[in-house]
Amino acid sequence: MKHKRTFLKAMAVAAFATLGMGSAMAADITGAGATFPFPIYAKWAEAYKKATGTGLNYQSIGSSGGIRQIRAKTVAFGATDAPVPGAELDKDGMVQFPAIIGGTVPVINLEGFKPGELRVTGPVLAEMFLGKVVKWNDAKLVALNPGKTLPDQNITVVHRADGSGTTFNWTDYLTSVSKEWADTVGKGAAVKWPAPSSVGGKGNEGVAANVNRVKGAVGYVEYAYVKKNNMNFLQLQNADGKYVSPDDDAFAAAAASADWFSAPGMGISMVNAKGATSWPVSTASFILMYKDPADKAQSAEVLKFFDWAFKNGKGMAAELDYVPLPDALTAQIRTRVWSQIAK
């Protein structure tokens, strides 16, 4: 536990963050994209550097930025939490595979309540983000939290200001539980946020900082950022009608029935998965690589890094409450996806 706290404190970085030990050497790996998996990529990178001498320069700039960077061929891999559709993968000549599983969590800044003490359903959460439930003592929130004295305090929605796979998965969830959200906002890496009282933040880091700064705020971040920033969160009702708190077991429960190869590029959605203990906003983070990379040596180094992480990084992932991919799935990734990449 002490080791975990020490590491999480060390992870307090700016929204644009680069991983690497000292200056990048010629053999160092370059990647960019999602902020959702940044804490575990940092953890893996530190250990991989010690084990192999090869570093990782990873720019934590958001999923949309990662897709732009890999398409511009300025990095050896892109990272996105919003899976790229199969048609686009084919057009770009890329493969896509999951690297880690985690969860997105509704976080709040409300004094007088412990983390997970308050709870919410998906439809009411959608109304908060729609700007229809604007006070913490709204009758719908009061009804879901009997015996709790909720304050007459305005709700401020905190959302991503950049193109974000975390936003894609969050809005995918809201779309699945609210017809009004589906009809008026929809899902995407960037959407027009309807709540009149709202503020944007860049990256999971920026959203976490703004939620902690703004009294009465509600936002959404990956669970590692909840822990790192000691944030308060809401229990969320899942598809089985059970109220659950986020942790690696709840994310694993949601992923248990995933049929990864049922969608092109393994780009499945796990939101609102069935299961009594499933976390409703569980998701994978994906890696993008070219089938015929211009720099085959760099591409080979990327595969070595993720091969090492799949074999040696499970414990590190669990420390941060991510869910590592099962061995059977990583074996399929090696034979069915990596085999498409020219050496």
Side-chain angles (χ1 to χ4, degrees), residues 36-264:
F36 179 100
F38 176 73
I40 186 56
Y41 290 175
K43 185 82 167 173
W44 284 345
E46 180 183 9
Y48 188 69
K49 176 77 171 183
K50 290 178 181 177
T52 68
T54 300
L56 169 63
N57 286 336
Y58 179 79
Q59 300 169 26
S60 177
I61 57 174
S63 295
S64 294
I67 294 170
R68 286 194 299 269
Q69 291 269 31
I70 188 66
R71 284 177 172 161
K73 301 184 179 180
T74 58
V75 292
F77 73 90
T80 176
D81 305 325
V84 173
E88 292 184 33
L89 292 172
D90 291 341
K91 179 182 176 182
D92 291 329
M94 292 185 195
V95 297
Q96 176 175 261
F97 60 90
I100 198 72
I101 295 165
T104 305
V105 179
V107 288
I108 63 173
N109 183 341
L110 203 61
E111 294 181 357
F113 299 96
K114 300 174 184 176
E117 184 176 349
L118 299 180
R119 62 190 191 180
V120 70
T121 63
V124 173
L125 186 63
E127 289 195 62
M128 295 168 75
F129 277 80
L130 283 165
K132 298 295 182 70
V133 171
V134 298
K135 292 273 192 179
W136 280 104
N137 64 347
D138 183 281
K140 292 180 179 180
L141 288 170
V142 170
L144 293 173
N145 294 277
K148 308 295 182 184
T149 303
L150 295 173
D152 181 15
Q153 188 171 5
N154 291 331
I155 295 171
T156 298
V157 169
V158 182
H159 56 78
R160 289 285 286 271
D162 52 332
S164 157
T166 306
T167 294
F168 177 88
N169 288 297
W170 186 249
T171 56
D172 186 17
Y173 169 69
L174 294 180
T175 296
S176 75
V177 295
S178 167
K179 186 177 186 302
E180 184 175 2
W181 184 277
D183 291 343
T184 61
V185 183
K187 64 181 178 181
V191 299
K192 185 175 181 181
W193 296 96
S197 179
S198 63
V199 60
K202 188 174 182 181
N204 274 277
E205 302 92 340
V207 172
N210 279 338
V211 169
N212 280 340
R213 178 180 60 83
V214 178
K215 301 296 185 184
V218 61
Y220 58 97
V221 296
E222 196 281 321
Y223 186 52
Y225 294 84
V226 177
K227 297 174 69 178
K228 179 177 69 177
N229 294 285
N230 297 314
M231 302 185 77
N232 198 347
F233 61 83
L234 296 170
Q235 278 197 15
L236 192 52
Q237 188 182 50
N238 65 20
D240 281 26
K242 306 295 185 181
Y243 286 96
V244 290
S245 292
D247 61 24
D248 54 346
D249 290 334
F251 308 149
S257 60
D259 185 1
W260 291 99
F261 290 96
S262 65

Side-chain angles (χ1 to χ4, degrees), residues 37 40-41 43-45 47-48 77 96-101 260-261 266 284-289 301-318 322-338 341:
I40 186 56
Y41 290 175
K43 185 82 167 173
W44 284 345
Y48 188 69
F77 73 90
Q96 176 175 261
F97 60 90
I100 198 72
I101 295 165
W260 291 99
F261 290 96
M266 306 180 72
S285 194
F286 297 87
I287 301 299
L288 294 167
M289 296 180 67
E301 290 299 325
V302 173
L303 296 184
K304 287 179 184 176
F305 172 77
F306 283 106
D307 185 63
W308 181 94
F310 288 163
K311 292 175 180 175
N312 301 283
K314 291 184 176 65
M316 291 175 249
Y322 290 95
V323 178
L325 304 184
D327 290 341
L329 178 58
T330 58
Q332 288 184 302
I333 289 171
R334 291 183 186 97
T335 58
R336 298 177 63 172
V337 181
W338 293 358
I341 301 173

